Amino acid sequence: MNGYGELLKYIQDFLVKDGIVKTINHADIFERDSHNENKFPLINIVPIGITFDESITIFNIDVECLMQRDLRKDVKHRDEYKLNDNLVDNLNTTYAVLRRLFEHLKRSDVFTVELLGTGTPIIYKNKNTLDGWSFSFNIEYSEIEVDVC
């Protein structure tokens, strides 16, 4: 019964190999970057729920991908439509990371993935200036062994 650990390792291994994500957090929903020590892009994997029967376990997780907003100080009159910061770039990059992760999970022989609903933008202009997307996934895992040791 180590399916959740295998899932986290599978995701981490892919993200490290992909080479774009610099920080991978787990279950850190309130302190995404409160210590300003992370390198970006950042992935945050949040467990939401779990269901199971005799042989199948379904993990419900949220995966957030975030980047730091670069607020240009040389702009006197900020016009969001002129794109005076990198908000759109952040949203594009974080979407691309999550899209590649989803495609990788779909090709897995161990897990079956289902995208739940639509992605939610995360835009924290006035807090910690992190931007990105959050997607919810159901990840199905076949329990072959039920030994807790």
Side-chain angles (χ1 to χ4, degrees), residues 96-148:
V97 168
L98 291 169
R99 179 67 188 211
R100 281 195 305 278
L101 175 61
F102 175 69
E103 294 298 327
H104 179 69
L105 287 166
K106 279 180 32 179
R107 290 188 300 271
S108 170
D109 294 332
V110 178
F111 302 101
T112 304
V113 64
E114 174 189 12
L115 181 62
L116 302 175
T118 60
T120 303
I122 298 172
I123 301 172
Y124 289 130
K125 180 179 176 182
N126 296 323
K127 285 190 173 188
N128 56 11
T129 65
L130 295 181
D131 305 314
W133 292 96
S134 176
F135 283 88
S136 294
F137 300 101
N138 271 346
I139 312 284
E140 185 176 299
Y141 176 77
S142 295
E143 294 287 351
I144 300 167
E145 186 177 310
V146 187
D147 183 17
V148 293

Side-chain angles (χ1 to χ4, degrees), residues 67-107:
M67 291 183 67
Q68 188 80 45
R69 175 100 52 99
D70 179 19
L71 297 173
R72 293 181 46 195
K73 298 193 181 343
D74 62 335
V75 177
K76 292 180 182 172
H77 301 289
R78 189 164 300 284
D79 181 349
E80 298 301 323
Y81 293 102
K82 290 186 179 176
L83 308 177
N84 295 331
D85 56 34
N86 63 338
L87 168 62
V88 172
D89 292 335
N90 286 354
L91 292 174
N92 282 333
T93 300
T94 56
Y95 165 73
V97 168
L98 291 169
R99 179 67 188 211
R100 281 195 305 278
L101 175 61
F102 175 69
E103 294 298 327
H104 179 69
L105 287 166
K106 279 180 32 179
R107 290 188 300 271

